[in-house]
């Protein structure tokens, strides 16, 4: 068989795949394309690999994949990457579907996809779905705090002052990025974010550059944060 799900003692499965279901090889190919600057081709390759993953995942039940298993981890990584690709082009319905699948495959949420999913739920006004995950949006994560701020603004037309306080005191780099008028994707930033230990400022810039299309569409939210 080309693909097989091996159960573990941790209520997870190891996705063993050969041939076209070798997701480690797919990820290596995608990484090479990114390194070569072939971003469009990388997105296409990632989506193709995601479609192969869809072929083998059962439709009627969620399977948690074992992160420590190389092929399973590569599949999870491809799934998250494709969600990001769709978010960047504004396809939020597809992004939402991919992130929901991601959380099923990776309940530990190694990529913290729940924070981006929360943003999608707010834009799509999926308030029941947002309520289901809101308890998992921790103040320890700047992205989660911003997602809750975003929800309060979209629901009530104002931002929660207590959450602004949390963001300003616990996540200063993200607060600074949100309130800044410049977000250069320059050589200094790229060197920082690609280092072994990126600074908090670089991580905040990375998040801003990812989510900027959303804030460009809703500039009044950023204006409220800056007040």
């Amino acid at each position: 068989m080309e693909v097989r799900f091996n159960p573990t003692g941790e209520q997870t499965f190891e996705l063993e795949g050969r041939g076209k279901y070798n997701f480690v090889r797919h990820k290596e190919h995608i990484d090479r394309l990114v390194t070569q600057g072939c971003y469009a081709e990388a997105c296409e390759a990632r989506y193709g690999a995601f479609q192969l993953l869809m072929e083998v995942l059962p439709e009627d039940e969620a399977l948690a994949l074992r992160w420590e298993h190389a092929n399973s981890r590569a599949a999870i990584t491809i799934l998250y990457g494709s969600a990001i690709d769709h978010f960047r082009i504004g396809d939020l319905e597809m992004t939402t579907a991919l992130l929901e699948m991601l959380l099923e495959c990776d309940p530990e949420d190694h990529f913290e996809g729940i924070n981006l999913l929360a943003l999608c739920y707010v834009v799509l006004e999926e308030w029941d779905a947002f309520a289901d995950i809101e308890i998992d949006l921790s103040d320890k994560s700047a992205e989660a705090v911003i997602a809750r701020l975003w929800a309060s603004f979209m629901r009530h037309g104002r931002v929660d002052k207590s959450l602004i306080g949390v963001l300003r005191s616990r996540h200063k780099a993200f607060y600074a990025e949100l309130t800044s008028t410049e977000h250069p994707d320059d050589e200094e930033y790229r060197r920082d974010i690609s280092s072994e230990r990126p600074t908090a400022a670089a991580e905040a810039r990375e998040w801003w550059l990812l989510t900027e299309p959303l804030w460009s569409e809703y500039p009044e939210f950023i204006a409220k944060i800056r007040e």
Side-chain angles (χ1 to χ4, degrees):
M1 294 179 63
E2 282 191 293
V3 65
R4 181 173 58 194
F5 290 94
N6 294 326
T8 72
E10 304 166 349
Q11 296 185 319
T12 60
F13 292 83
E14 294 181 346
L15 171 53
E16 289 196 5
R18 294 183 296 176
K20 64 181 180 179
Y21 300 112
N22 185 328
F23 292 102
V24 171
R25 288 187 180 175
H26 282 294
K27 182 180 178 300
E28 290 172 347
H29 173 59
I30 293 163
D31 290 344
R32 282 195 297 271
L33 289 172
V34 171
T35 300
Q36 294 165 6
C38 303
Y39 301 113
E41 293 84 350
C43 290
E44 291 177 9
R46 196 152 34 219
Y47 186 65
F50 156 70
Q51 290 179 308
L52 291 172
L53 179 61
M54 281 288 293
E55 289 180 6
V56 297
L57 287 175
E59 295 182 4
D60 55 349
E61 64 176 318
L63 284 187
L65 302 179
R66 184 169 177 262
W67 175 259
E68 292 76 15
H69 180 251
N71 202 53
S72 301
R73 184 170 62 252
I76 291 170
T77 302
I78 287 167
L79 179 51
Y80 174 71
S82 192
I84 294 298
D85 292 339
H86 283 85
F87 184 84
R88 290 186 188 278
I89 63 173
D91 188 348
L92 298 187
E93 286 84 1
M94 189 64 177
T95 303
T96 299
L98 288 166
L99 290 174
E100 289 174 342
M101 192 182 305
L102 175 72
L103 293 180
E104 291 180 349
C105 292
D106 181 27
E108 294 183 12
D109 195 14
H110 290 84
F111 289 105
E112 297 186 353
I114 194 171
N115 299 322
L116 190 61
L117 179 59
L119 294 181
C120 292
Y121 281 153
V122 172
V123 178
L124 298 174
E125 298 186 355
E126 296 283 352
W127 295 116
D128 288 342
F130 179 83
D132 289 341
I133 67 170
E134 188 172 11
I135 192 172
D136 296 317
L137 299 176
S138 169
D139 285 355
K140 294 180 181 179
S141 165
E143 296 96 323
V145 173
I146 294 168
R148 289 163 60 201
L149 272 169
W150 173 231
S152 72
F153 175 78
M154 290 295 283
R155 272 176 159 164
H156 310 297
R158 54 182 171 77
V159 293
D160 187 315
K161 296 297 184 183
S162 64
L163 289 175
I164 289 288
V166 171
L167 191 64
R168 184 182 294 163
S169 61
R170 299 189 190 179
H171 308 290
K172 295 178 181 178
F174 277 79
Y175 179 76
E177 195 67 33
L178 272 172
T179 55
S180 177
T181 56
E182 295 183 358
H183 314 272
D185 184 2
D186 55 16
E187 183 178 345
E188 181 181 357
Y189 156 71
R190 289 175 179 267
R191 187 167 53 247
D192 191 341
I193 199 63
S194 61
S195 66
E196 188 174 332
R197 293 185 179 180
T199 63
E203 291 176 343
R205 178 70 49 79
E206 181 181 45
W207 173 87
W208 171 271
L209 293 173
L210 168 63
T211 58
E212 185 175 16
L214 185 59
W215 312 132
S216 296
E217 189 173 348
Y218 296 91
E220 60 273 21
F221 172 65
I222 301 301
K224 280 286 184 183
I225 299 291
R226 289 173 178 161
E227 286 181 0

